[in-house]
């Protein structure tokens, strides 16, 4: 409780400083002057609340009641701050708003249970939990309203958060008044919790409306799953088409045999083509070495080939010498 009371003073001081800066140099009729007066009043209340908390910290009999009073003041202050929704708002998603609404439900359940037991420790814990839940919910409402697609939806989200906070504050005020003279009635606690539940339902409805935009879908929806699979298949087909478009037909490098050349010239052209070929690896080196070797077997092969082509005579000798020169 003491920590929360100190935090309230620090928060009120920060608001007072901001209001003072805003009102500096303005006329007395300006709206900033009204905010400055409100901030000054909040500062006085926070300091007064801190002094009461310090005094009641030693009195265990009033710990719970004092915690409820602090929670009521904090919720009231947060509701006023909701009017300046754009100031200090941090973007929040619809899912964040739903989680914040669930925390309100849990805090309400704890508060009703604490009211039935009337134990000061339980009441103090319920007050602190409810206060935090309301603060977080209102901050989330501010952030979620920023992403609203229309001004009407934005105002609806803020109004729903305000209604939920006011319903919860009414329950805390009832508990605080009842504990001063006895114990809260269970029927009244249930009635307050019912109003809170209705407000929370409206808040969740606002979150669902925020989801209706094109960027929000249900991942478990069969239609959404089928659509994603089709999109993935289309992307794969497109990627394959791009690869196919880069392919080109193989260029034909073979040459037709020139029939106008005589035998020796054809042999010479073939030898040039073999010499121009480049084959990587050791096999190329070994093959080239074998081609460069000469020996008696070459003369025998030359004579046999010339005998088959031109028969014995002067042309055979020319062919043989040409072959040996080429090799």
């Amino acid at each position: 409780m003491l920590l929360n009371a100190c935090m309230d003073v620090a928060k009120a001081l920060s608001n007072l400083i901001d209001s003072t800066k805003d009102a500096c140099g303005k006329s007395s009729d300006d709206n900033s002057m009204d905010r400055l007066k409100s901030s000054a009043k909040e500062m006085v209340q926070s300091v007064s609340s801190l002094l009461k908390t310090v005094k009641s910290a030693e009195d265990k009999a009033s710990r719970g009641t004092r915690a409820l009073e602090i929670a009521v003041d904090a919720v009231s202050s947060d509701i006023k701050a909701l009017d300046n929704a754009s100031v200090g708002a941090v973007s929040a998603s619809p899912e964040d708003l739903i989680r914040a609404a669930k925390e309100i439900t849990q805090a309400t359940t704890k508060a009703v249970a604490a009211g039935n037991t009337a134990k000061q420790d339980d009441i103090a814990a319920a007050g602190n939990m409810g206060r935090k839940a309301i603060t977080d919910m209102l901050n989330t409402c501010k952030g979620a309203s920023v992403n609203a697609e229309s001004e009407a939806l934005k105002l609806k989200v803020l109004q729903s958060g305000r209604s939920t906070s006011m319903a919860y504050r009414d329950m805390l005020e009832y508990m605080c008044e009842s504990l001063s003279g006895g114990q809260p009635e269970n029927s009244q606690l249930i009635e307050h919790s019912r109003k809170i539940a209705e407000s929370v339902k409206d808040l969740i409805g606002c979150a669902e409306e925020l989801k209706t935009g094109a960027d929000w879908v249900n991942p478990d929806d069969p239609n959404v799953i089928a659509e994603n699979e089709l999109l993935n298949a289309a992307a794969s087909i497109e990627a394959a088409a791009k690869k196919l478009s880069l392919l080109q037909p193989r260029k034909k490098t073979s040459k037709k045999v020139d029939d106008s050349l005589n035998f020796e010239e054809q042999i010479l052209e073939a030898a040039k083509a073999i010499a121009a070929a480049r084959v990587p690896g050791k096999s190329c080196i070994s093959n080239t070495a074998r081609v460069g070797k000469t020996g008696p077997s070459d003369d025998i092969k030359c004579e046999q080939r010339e005998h088959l082509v031109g028969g014995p005579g002067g042309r055979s000798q020319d062919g043989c010498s040409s072959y040996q020169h080429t090799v």
Side-chain angles (χ1 to χ4, degrees):
M1 286 194 304
L2 287 173
L3 181 59
N4 288 333
C6 292
M7 290 174 63
D8 289 340
V9 173
K11 182 179 179 181
L13 180 59
S14 177
N15 292 336
L16 180 59
I17 293 174
D18 292 339
S19 299
T20 303
K21 291 180 180 179
D22 188 31
C24 184
K26 305 290 181 63
S27 63
S28 59
D29 297 334
D30 193 83
N31 293 331
S32 59
M33 290 298 178
D34 294 334
R35 289 195 294 269
L36 178 59
K37 294 177 182 178
S38 178
S39 298
K41 183 178 180 181
E42 181 184 352
M43 181 66 191
V44 173
Q45 291 176 346
S46 299
V47 173
S48 176
S49 177
L50 176 60
L51 295 176
K52 291 180 181 180
T53 302
V54 172
K55 183 178 179 180
S56 64
E58 299 177 355
D59 185 6
K60 293 183 180 180
S62 61
R63 271 182 73 184
T65 304
R66 184 58 195 150
L68 292 178
E69 292 176 352
I70 295 175
V72 169
D73 293 340
V75 171
S76 299
S77 177
D78 290 338
I79 293 175
K80 292 180 181 179
L82 191 63
D83 295 332
N84 297 324
S86 59
V87 178
V90 179
S91 179
S93 67
E95 295 296 337
D96 294 332
L97 189 57
I98 292 175
R99 283 192 290 269
K102 291 181 178 179
E103 290 180 2
I104 298 294
T105 302
Q106 295 174 356
T108 302
T109 302
K110 189 173 184 64
V112 172
N116 290 328
T117 61
K119 294 181 179 179
Q120 293 295 315
D121 290 341
D122 293 342
I123 293 172
N128 293 331
M129 181 178 181
R131 169 192 173 166
K132 182 180 183 303
I134 291 294
T135 301
D136 292 343
M137 183 270 295
L138 290 177
N139 289 333
T140 305
C141 284
K142 289 182 182 180
S145 65
V146 173
N147 300 323
E149 295 184 348
S150 64
E151 186 66 20
L153 181 56
K154 176 181 178 179
L155 295 176
K156 185 177 181 180
V157 172
L158 296 176
Q159 180 58 37
S160 182
R162 181 182 289 104
S163 299
T164 303
S165 302
M166 294 176 66
Y168 197 90
R169 184 186 62 182
D170 292 343
M171 183 184 68
L172 294 180
E173 289 177 342
Y174 168 73
M175 292 177 62
C176 190
E177 294 173 359
S178 300
L179 288 171
S180 60
Q183 183 174 349
E185 295 182 6
N186 186 53
S187 59
Q188 291 295 323
L189 290 174
I190 293 176
E191 179 64 19
H192 281 290
S193 64
R194 184 185 64 80
K195 293 180 180 180
I196 296 172
E198 292 176 355
S199 299
V200 169
K201 183 179 178 181
D202 293 339
L203 189 62
I204 294 177
C206 291
E208 294 297 334
E209 289 188 42
L210 290 171
K211 284 184 177 183
T212 56
D215 295 336
W216 291 92
V217 294
N218 182 6
D220 297 328
D221 188 349
N223 294 327
V224 175
I225 295 175
E227 181 181 359
N228 291 334
E229 291 178 351
L230 289 175
L231 290 175
N232 292 334
S236 300
I237 294 173
E238 183 179 1
K242 288 181 179 180
K243 291 182 179 179
L244 289 175
S245 65
L246 299 176
L247 298 179
Q248 297 179 356
R250 186 189 301 273
K251 294 182 179 179
K252 296 182 178 180
T253 57
S254 59
K255 292 183 178 180
K256 293 184 178 180
V257 178
D258 190 354
D259 297 333
S260 63
L261 300 177
N262 57 30
F263 177 77
E264 291 81 0
E265 291 173 340
Q266 290 181 6
I267 293 297
L268 181 60
E269 289 297 326
K272 289 180 179 180
I274 294 175
R278 296 290 184 269
V279 182
K282 294 182 179 180
S283 60
C284 177
I285 300 175
S286 60
N287 291 336
T288 304
R290 285 197 297 270
V291 171
K293 289 181 180 180
T294 58
S297 60
D298 295 331
D299 296 334
I300 297 173
K301 292 179 181 179
C302 180
E303 293 176 358
Q304 292 176 351
R305 183 175 63 257
E306 291 174 348
H307 179 74
L308 292 174
V309 177
R315 184 174 180 180
S316 298
Q317 298 299 325
D318 296 338
C320 181
S321 61
S322 175
Y323 172 77
Q324 290 178 351
H325 175 73
T326 304
V327 175

XYZ file of all heavy atoms in Angstrom, residues 222-296:
550
model
N -10.883 -23.079 -42.143
C -10.489 -23.914 -43.300
C -10.298 -23.103 -44.574
O -9.420 -23.410 -45.383
C -11.665 -24.905 -43.430
C -12.272 -24.959 -42.061
C -12.105 -23.582 -41.485
N -11.117 -22.082 -44.761
C -10.970 -21.249 -45.963
C -9.639 -20.507 -45.959
O -8.980 -20.379 -46.999
C -12.122 -20.246 -46.053
C -13.450 -20.930 -46.274
O -13.519 -21.971 -46.932
N -14.514 -20.362 -45.740
N -9.246 -20.021 -44.784
C -7.966 -19.319 -44.677
C -6.804 -20.275 -44.919
O -5.830 -19.947 -45.601
C -7.839 -18.658 -43.290
C -6.463 -18.019 -43.132
C -8.926 -17.608 -43.109
N -6.918 -21.500 -44.389
C -5.867 -22.498 -44.583
C -5.738 -22.860 -46.062
O -4.625 -22.929 -46.612
C -6.171 -23.752 -43.742
C -6.115 -23.414 -42.243
C -5.188 -24.871 -44.069
C -6.526 -24.563 -41.349
N -6.893 -23.084 -46.726
C -6.865 -23.416 -48.157
C -6.287 -22.276 -48.976
O -5.507 -22.494 -49.918
C -8.279 -23.755 -48.630
N -6.640 -21.046 -48.608
C -6.122 -19.888 -49.336
C -4.605 -19.787 -49.205
O -3.901 -19.509 -50.184
C -6.781 -18.620 -48.804
C -6.327 -17.359 -49.520
C -6.984 -16.105 -48.967
O -7.809 -16.237 -48.042
O -6.654 -15.005 -49.441
N -4.102 -20.032 -47.997
C -2.650 -19.973 -47.789
C -1.930 -21.047 -48.594
O -0.852 -20.812 -49.161
C -2.327 -20.121 -46.304
C -2.764 -18.914 -45.500
O -2.854 -17.809 -46.031
N -3.018 -19.103 -44.223
N -2.527 -22.256 -48.657
C -1.905 -23.334 -49.423
C -1.875 -23.004 -50.914
O -0.885 -23.269 -51.610
C -2.655 -24.646 -49.175
C -2.482 -25.192 -47.759
C -3.268 -26.467 -47.532
O -4.078 -26.818 -48.431
O -3.092 -27.106 -46.487
N -2.977 -22.417 -51.421
C -3.004 -22.028 -52.830
C -1.976 -20.944 -53.137
O -1.312 -20.966 -54.181
C -4.412 -21.540 -53.199
C -5.499 -22.617 -53.266
C -6.860 -21.975 -53.510
C -5.192 -23.625 -54.372
N -1.845 -19.991 -52.216
C -0.863 -18.924 -52.417
C 0.560 -19.487 -52.430
O 1.399 -19.064 -53.224
C -1.010 -17.869 -51.321
C -2.288 -17.013 -51.384
C -2.357 -16.089 -50.170
C -2.330 -16.202 -52.666
N 0.828 -20.444 -51.531
C 2.157 -21.063 -51.505
C 2.430 -21.841 -52.795
O 3.539 -21.799 -53.346
C 2.278 -21.994 -50.298
C 2.271 -21.238 -48.987
O 2.643 -20.061 -48.939
N 1.861 -21.884 -47.916
N 1.391 -22.557 -53.287
C 1.558 -23.307 -54.534
C 1.792 -22.362 -55.703
O 2.634 -22.612 -56.571
C 0.330 -24.176 -54.785
N 1.050 -21.258 -55.734
C 1.230 -20.284 -56.809
C 2.629 -19.680 -56.786
O 3.250 -19.460 -57.834
C 0.179 -19.185 -56.685
N 3.132 -19.432 -55.576
C 4.484 -18.880 -55.453
C 5.527 -19.874 -55.968
O 6.499 -19.488 -56.639
C 4.767 -18.510 -54.007
N 5.324 -21.170 -55.690
C 6.262 -22.193 -56.166
C 6.239 -22.297 -57.690
O 7.280 -22.424 -58.343
C 5.914 -23.547 -55.535
O 5.999 -23.478 -54.126
N 5.012 -22.235 -58.258
C 4.890 -22.303 -59.722
C 5.559 -21.099 -60.376
O 6.244 -21.217 -61.395
C 3.406 -22.389 -60.115
C 2.809 -23.727 -59.630
C 3.232 -22.247 -61.620
C 1.322 -23.837 -59.822
N 5.363 -19.939 -59.788
C 5.968 -18.730 -60.342
C 7.492 -18.806 -60.302
O 8.174 -18.412 -61.253
C 5.485 -17.514 -59.555
C 6.002 -16.197 -60.095
C 5.484 -15.004 -59.323
O 4.730 -15.224 -58.356
O 5.841 -13.865 -59.671
N 8.031 -19.333 -59.183
C 9.483 -19.470 -59.078
C 10.021 -20.448 -60.122
O 11.065 -20.210 -60.743
C 9.862 -19.928 -57.668
N 9.280 -21.561 -60.341
C 9.715 -22.532 -61.349
C 9.652 -21.939 -62.756
O 10.518 -22.190 -63.598
C 8.838 -23.782 -61.261
N 8.614 -21.132 -63.018
C 8.485 -20.494 -64.339
C 9.642 -19.539 -64.605
O 10.149 -19.449 -65.733
C 7.150 -19.764 -64.422
N 10.062 -18.813 -63.572
C 11.186 -17.898 -63.742
C 12.461 -18.658 -64.088
O 13.261 -18.210 -64.916
C 11.388 -17.076 -62.467
C 10.300 -16.029 -62.237
C 10.570 -15.228 -60.982
C 9.504 -14.164 -60.765
N 9.751 -13.372 -59.528
N 12.671 -19.811 -63.439
C 13.857 -20.602 -63.739
C 13.809 -21.143 -65.170
O 14.821 -21.173 -65.883
C 13.981 -21.756 -62.744
C 14.325 -21.311 -61.336
C 14.492 -22.497 -60.416
C 14.872 -22.052 -59.005
N 15.023 -23.204 -58.091
N 12.619 -21.587 -65.604
C 12.482 -22.111 -66.964
C 12.730 -21.030 -68.014
O 13.254 -21.297 -69.099
C 11.086 -22.712 -67.147
C 10.820 -24.038 -66.409
C 9.370 -24.444 -66.573
C 11.739 -25.139 -66.915
N 12.312 -19.797 -67.682
C 12.494 -18.711 -68.645
C 13.968 -18.384 -68.877
O 14.330 -17.796 -69.895
C 11.757 -17.454 -68.155
O 12.332 -16.978 -66.948
N 14.814 -18.760 -67.928
C 16.249 -18.496 -68.075
C 16.962 -19.549 -68.918
O 18.101 -19.345 -69.344
C 16.911 -18.410 -66.686
C 16.397 -17.293 -65.769
C 17.071 -17.396 -64.406
C 16.667 -15.923 -66.384
N 16.304 -20.690 -69.133
C 16.931 -21.759 -69.919
C 16.914 -21.416 -71.403
O 15.954 -20.825 -71.910
C 16.197 -23.081 -69.682
C 16.209 -23.605 -68.235
C 15.425 -24.913 -68.144
C 17.632 -23.834 -67.759
N 17.978 -21.811 -72.127
C 18.091 -21.574 -73.556
C 18.481 -22.872 -74.250
O 19.144 -23.738 -73.653
C 19.147 -20.498 -73.859
C 18.808 -19.132 -73.297
C 19.881 -18.113 -73.607
O 20.913 -18.447 -74.180
N 19.626 -16.864 -73.227
N 18.050 -23.057 -75.501
C 18.414 -24.297 -76.212
C 19.930 -24.388 -76.413
O 20.608 -23.374 -76.585
C 17.675 -24.163 -77.547
C 17.434 -22.694 -77.707
C 17.233 -22.165 -76.322
N 20.425 -25.604 -76.377
C 21.853 -25.835 -76.547
C 22.277 -25.499 -77.983
O 21.603 -25.866 -78.956
C 22.199 -27.299 -76.248
C 23.688 -27.596 -76.251
C 23.923 -29.083 -76.171
N 23.332 -29.628 -74.981
C 23.947 -29.684 -73.788
N 25.175 -29.211 -73.681
N 23.352 -30.219 -72.753
N 23.351 -24.762 -78.127
C 23.851 -24.388 -79.451
C 24.568 -25.574 -80.100
O 25.339 -26.270 -79.449
C 24.820 -23.210 -79.333
C 24.153 -21.932 -78.859
C 25.162 -20.795 -78.822
C 24.506 -19.502 -78.368
N 25.464 -18.372 -78.301
N 24.248 -25.802 -81.371
C 24.892 -26.886 -82.109
C 26.278 -26.441 -82.580
O 26.405 -25.441 -83.287
C 24.048 -27.283 -83.323
C 22.685 -27.862 -82.935
C 21.904 -28.275 -84.170
C 20.566 -28.891 -83.783
N 19.793 -29.293 -84.982
N 27.282 -27.181 -82.156
C 28.667 -26.814 -82.502
C 29.282 -27.737 -83.558
O 30.401 -27.518 -84.000
C 29.540 -26.857 -81.244
O 29.462 -28.167 -80.661
C 29.051 -25.836 -80.226
N 28.540 -28.795 -83.928
C 29.108 -29.733 -84.898
C 29.103 -29.133 -86.305
O 28.203 -28.368 -86.659
C 28.308 -31.045 -84.900
O 26.956 -30.781 -85.234
N 30.129 -29.444 -87.076
C 30.235 -28.949 -88.435
C 29.968 -30.080 -89.427
O 30.301 -31.241 -89.174
C 31.647 -28.395 -88.687
C 31.967 -27.140 -87.911
C 33.339 -26.640 -88.291
C 33.676 -25.349 -87.564
N 35.026 -24.849 -87.925
N 29.360 -29.706 -90.523
C 29.153 -30.685 -91.576
C 30.477 -30.936 -92.309
O 31.288 -30.028 -92.483
C 28.102 -30.184 -92.567
C 26.713 -30.092 -91.948
C 25.697 -29.675 -93.007
C 24.301 -29.625 -92.406
N 23.286 -29.219 -93.406
N 30.635 -32.145 -92.754
C 31.849 -32.505 -93.491
C 31.802 -31.868 -94.876
O 30.793 -31.953 -95.597
C 31.981 -34.038 -93.622
C 33.227 -34.409 -94.428
C 32.007 -34.654 -92.232
N 32.893 -31.187 -95.209
C 32.998 -30.538 -96.521
C 33.443 -31.577 -97.545
O 34.599 -32.036 -97.533
C 33.998 -29.385 -96.440
C 33.966 -28.520 -97.685
O 33.250 -28.887 -98.631
O 34.663 -27.481 -97.694
N 32.531 -31.984 -98.413
C 32.842 -33.031 -99.392
C 33.791 -32.549 -100.477
O 34.357 -33.359 -101.227
C 31.552 -33.538 -100.036
C 30.634 -34.196 -99.015
O 31.175 -34.709 -98.006
O 29.403 -34.204 -99.224
N 33.972 -31.242 -100.567
C 34.859 -30.732 -101.623
C 36.335 -30.935 -101.295
O 37.198 -30.808 -102.153
C 34.579 -29.248 -101.871
O 34.874 -28.501 -100.680
N 36.624 -31.212 -100.019
C 38.014 -31.425 -99.618
C 38.453 -32.823 -99.990
O 37.673 -33.790 -99.908
C 38.172 -31.196 -98.112
C 37.818 -29.801 -97.575
C 37.956 -29.790 -96.059
C 38.712 -28.734 -98.210
N 39.722 -32.974 -100.340
C 40.247 -34.306 -100.605
C 40.561 -34.999 -99.289
O 40.395 -34.428 -98.197
C 41.485 -34.229 -101.516
C 42.560 -33.335 -100.906
O 42.665 -33.228 -99.694
N 43.357 -32.686 -101.761
N 41.029 -36.196 -99.388
C 41.243 -36.999 -98.194
C 42.245 -36.361 -97.253
O 42.030 -36.277 -96.043
C 41.703 -38.400 -98.613
C 42.010 -39.282 -97.438
C 40.986 -39.871 -96.711
C 43.331 -39.505 -97.046
C 41.271 -40.662 -95.615
C 43.615 -40.298 -95.943
C 42.577 -40.896 -95.237
N 43.370 -35.884 -97.775
C 44.389 -35.312 -96.918
C 43.881 -34.060 -96.195
O 44.168 -33.838 -95.017
C 45.646 -34.959 -97.734
C 46.420 -36.142 -98.266
C 45.806 -36.706 -99.538
O 44.768 -36.144 -99.969
O 46.332 -37.690 -100.076
N 43.120 -33.247 -96.932
C 42.591 -32.022 -96.315
C 41.572 -32.331 -95.232
O 41.488 -31.658 -94.206
C 41.970 -31.142 -97.400
C 43.011 -30.556 -98.355
C 42.354 -29.825 -99.503
O 41.154 -30.108 -99.754
O 43.013 -28.976 -100.133
N 40.762 -33.382 -95.456
C 39.803 -33.797 -94.430
C 40.519 -34.286 -93.179
O 40.124 -34.003 -92.055
C 38.891 -34.887 -94.986
C 37.923 -34.398 -96.034
C 37.019 -35.502 -96.545
O 37.055 -36.621 -96.014
N 36.235 -35.207 -97.581
N 41.585 -35.044 -93.375
C 42.367 -35.524 -92.234
C 42.970 -34.345 -91.489
O 42.988 -34.278 -90.249
C 43.475 -36.482 -92.704
C 42.855 -37.767 -93.266
C 44.425 -36.814 -91.550
C 42.077 -38.571 -92.250
N 43.456 -33.359 -92.221
C 44.069 -32.184 -91.617
C 43.045 -31.384 -90.797
O 43.321 -30.951 -89.671
C 44.693 -31.297 -92.706
C 45.399 -30.021 -92.206
C 46.539 -30.391 -91.258
C 45.917 -29.208 -93.381
N 41.829 -31.201 -91.344
C 40.780 -30.483 -90.621
C 40.373 -31.225 -89.349
O 40.129 -30.636 -88.295
C 39.553 -30.294 -91.526
C 39.747 -29.298 -92.657
C 40.001 -27.915 -92.151
O 39.420 -27.546 -91.085
O 40.772 -27.171 -92.775
N 40.314 -32.549 -89.435
C 39.960 -33.350 -88.256
C 41.014 -33.217 -87.174
O 40.716 -33.121 -85.976
C 39.763 -34.811 -88.653
N 42.286 -33.205 -87.589
C 43.367 -33.067 -86.619
C 43.332 -31.702 -85.945
O 43.563 -31.571 -84.736
C 44.713 -33.277 -87.315
N 43.006 -30.664 -86.724
C 42.900 -29.330 -86.138
C 41.770 -29.265 -85.111
O 41.891 -28.626 -84.060
C 42.665 -28.301 -87.231
C 43.871 -28.050 -88.130
C 43.532 -27.006 -89.189
C 44.740 -26.731 -90.090
N 44.411 -25.723 -91.129
N 40.650 -29.897 -85.414
C 39.504 -29.892 -84.491
C 39.844 -30.596 -83.193
O 39.480 -30.171 -82.098
C 38.300 -30.550 -85.167
N 40.607 -31.715 -83.319
C 40.997 -32.449 -82.104
C 41.963 -31.627 -81.280
O 41.881 -31.562 -80.054
C 41.626 -33.806 -82.501
C 40.563 -34.698 -83.156
C 42.240 -34.483 -81.280
C 41.113 -35.999 -83.693
N 42.897 -30.934 -81.956
C 43.871 -30.121 -81.236
C 43.217 -28.930 -80.550
O 43.679 -28.464 -79.501
C 44.954 -29.639 -82.210
N 42.099 -28.415 -81.115
C 41.418 -27.247 -80.532
C 40.549 -27.605 -79.333
O 40.149 -26.741 -78.560
C 40.558 -26.559 -81.603
N 40.219 -28.909 -79.175
C 39.353 -29.335 -78.061
C 40.105 -29.210 -76.756
O 41.309 -29.436 -76.682
C 38.886 -30.773 -78.297
N 39.359 -28.852 -75.691
C 39.952 -28.717 -74.345
C 39.154 -29.590 -73.396
O 37.969 -29.336 -73.138
C 39.918 -27.282 -73.872
C 40.768 -26.345 -74.713
C 42.240 -26.628 -74.494
N 43.076 -25.675 -75.208
C 43.511 -25.864 -76.441
N 43.174 -26.980 -77.090
N 44.263 -24.965 -77.037
N 39.782 -30.614 -72.864
C 39.109 -31.524 -71.927
C 39.829 -31.440 -70.602
O 41.025 -31.735 -70.538
C 39.107 -32.973 -72.453
C 38.371 -33.875 -71.480
C 38.458 -33.022 -73.828
N 39.184 -31.000 -69.507
C 39.864 -30.883 -68.209
C 40.199 -32.243 -67.632
O 39.535 -33.232 -67.899
C 38.823 -30.154 -67.342
C 37.508 -30.497 -67.954
C 37.749 -30.596 -69.414
N 41.221 -32.259 -66.762
C 41.568 -33.489 -66.064
C 42.833 -34.118 -66.615
O 43.381 -33.725 -67.651
N 43.279 -35.133 -65.957
C 44.503 -35.820 -66.335
C 44.342 -36.593 -67.629
O 45.300 -36.836 -68.343
C 44.936 -36.773 -65.214
C 45.348 -36.052 -63.944
C 45.803 -37.038 -62.897
C 46.236 -36.330 -61.620
N 46.678 -37.285 -60.597
N 43.087 -37.007 -67.915
C 42.866 -37.798 -69.129
C 43.242 -36.998 -70.363
O 43.731 -37.526 -71.344
C 41.402 -38.233 -69.201
O 40.569 -37.094 -69.217
N 43.017 -35.659 -70.309
C 43.370 -34.801 -71.444
C 44.873 -34.811 -71.665
O 45.368 -34.894 -72.783
C 42.864 -33.382 -71.200
S 43.325 -32.219 -72.506
N 45.607 -34.691 -70.555
C 47.070 -34.666 -70.656
C 47.597 -35.978 -71.196
O 48.456 -36.027 -72.084
C 47.684 -34.356 -69.280
C 47.188 -32.983 -68.807
C 49.190 -34.385 -69.325
C 47.635 -32.625 -67.412
N 47.071 -37.083 -70.667
C 47.565 -38.388 -71.103
C 47.215 -38.640 -72.559
O 48.015 -39.184 -73.319
C 46.990 -39.494 -70.215
O 45.575 -39.484 -70.297
N 46.000 -38.218 -72.977
C 45.610 -38.418 -74.370
C 46.475 -37.597 -75.307
O 46.893 -38.044 -76.375
C 44.145 -38.033 -74.573
C 43.211 -39.025 -73.880
O 43.602 -40.162 -73.663
N 42.003 -38.578 -73.567
N 46.755 -36.356 -74.910
C 47.602 -35.496 -75.743
C 49.005 -36.075 -75.864
O 49.633 -36.025 -76.924
C 47.673 -34.093 -75.132
O 46.349 -33.578 -74.987
C 48.465 -33.145 -76.011
N 49.505 -36.650 -74.747
C 50.837 -37.258 -74.785
C 50.873 -38.447 -75.735
O 51.829 -38.661 -76.469
C 51.272 -37.685 -73.388
N 49.756 -39.238 -75.714
C 49.730 -40.406 -76.590
C 49.648 -39.980 -78.045
O 50.239 -40.588 -78.935
C 48.545 -41.302 -76.230
C 48.757 -42.090 -74.943
C 47.757 -43.244 -74.867
N 46.396 -42.730 -74.808
C 45.772 -42.451 -73.662
N 46.406 -42.610 -72.520
N 44.534 -42.001 -73.692
N 48.888 -38.892 -78.328
C 48.780 -38.430 -79.709
C 50.139 -37.946 -80.224
O 50.515 -38.128 -81.379
C 47.720 -37.301 -79.810
C 47.760 -36.660 -81.197
C 46.345 -37.877 -79.561
N 50.951 -37.325 -79.340
C 52.237 -36.775 -79.761
C 53.319 -37.817 -79.989
O 54.385 -37.522 -80.539
N 53.107 -39.047 -79.513
C 54.118 -40.083 -79.674
C 54.122 -40.614 -81.108
O 53.084 -40.705 -81.745
C 53.853 -41.230 -78.696
C 54.133 -40.860 -77.238
C 53.883 -42.051 -76.330
C 54.162 -41.723 -74.879
N 53.920 -42.881 -74.014
N 55.320 -41.005 -81.596
C 55.456 -41.624 -82.921
C 56.234 -42.912 -82.778
O 57.038 -43.076 -81.838
C 56.174 -40.687 -83.899
O 57.457 -40.364 -83.365
C 55.385 -39.393 -84.087
N 56.037 -43.853 -83.668
C 56.767 -45.117 -83.617
C 56.552 -45.917 -84.866
O 55.835 -45.504 -85.783
N 57.112 -47.077 -84.958
C 56.994 -47.934 -86.145
C 55.560 -48.270 -86.454
O 55.183 -48.453 -87.609
C 57.802 -49.190 -85.773
C 58.731 -48.720 -84.693
C 58.017 -47.656 -83.956
